[in-house]
Amino acid sequence: MDDSHIVSTFELKEDLDFFRGHYPGHPIMPGVLMCEAVFQTAGIFMSAQQKPELKDEKGETPILTKITNARFRRMALPGESLTIEVRPVESQGPFHMMKGKVKNKEGGLIMNVDFTITLK
């Protein structure tokens, strides 16, 4: 992580619970969970970017306020290693527009999404 982006990873172990029901006999990672991984990565980034002199004891909580342009390019399969990257695009007052993407280990794009977070 630096001031311009954050990168996280997620190992899709074959025994993860969501693989059992999504889809039986042909397991894939649900798209909503890929989005959630992006949003949680953004939350870590936003929390780390808070200026210490502006924080109270608890700091502010990153809240997802808008999702646009979610595009799923291919499936995320058991055994894959995902790389999640989030970059801020623009801030307007308390709203922070961001872009996120998920790639596989080989660098193939799995999904991308634009979204907005605010700090409350």
Side-chain angles (χ1 to χ4, degrees):
M1 176 172 48
D2 60 26
D3 287 342
S4 67
H5 78 294
I6 183 172
V7 176
S8 65
T9 59
F10 184 61
E11 301 295 326
L12 294 180
K13 296 180 181 173
E14 294 181 18
D15 63 348
L16 290 168
D17 282 342
F18 57 77
F19 284 134
R20 289 188 298 161
H22 198 82
Y23 294 95
H26 187 68
I28 64 172
M29 183 178 185
V32 68
L33 294 181
M34 279 191 276
C35 288
E36 181 63 21
V38 170
F39 305 148
Q40 287 191 22
T41 299
I44 293 167
F45 179 80
M46 293 303 298
S47 291
Q49 297 300 313
Q50 293 183 54
K51 294 181 173 78
E53 63 272 14
L54 299 178
K55 284 187 191 180
D56 59 18
E57 287 183 20
K58 295 182 182 177
E60 294 180 293
T61 303
I63 305 293
L64 180 67
T65 57
K66 184 177 182 182
I67 303 168
T68 58
N69 300 323
R71 303 212 187 258
F72 300 92
R73 311 294 181 166
R74 62 175 294 275
M75 294 178 283
L77 304 172
E80 286 191 302
S81 176
L82 304 182
T83 300
I84 302 153
E85 183 176 341
V86 173
R87 293 185 178 278
V89 175
E90 178 182 1
S91 293
Q92 293 181 355
F95 299 100
H96 305 276
M97 285 64 83
M98 308 184 99
K99 289 187 174 289
K101 59 185 163 185
V102 177
K103 294 182 176 182
N104 62 16
K105 189 175 184 177
E106 293 77 33
L109 183 62
I110 295 175
M111 67 88 59
N112 56 287
V113 62
D114 298 336
F115 59 100
T116 303
I117 286 183
T118 189
L119 297 172
K120 296 269 183 180

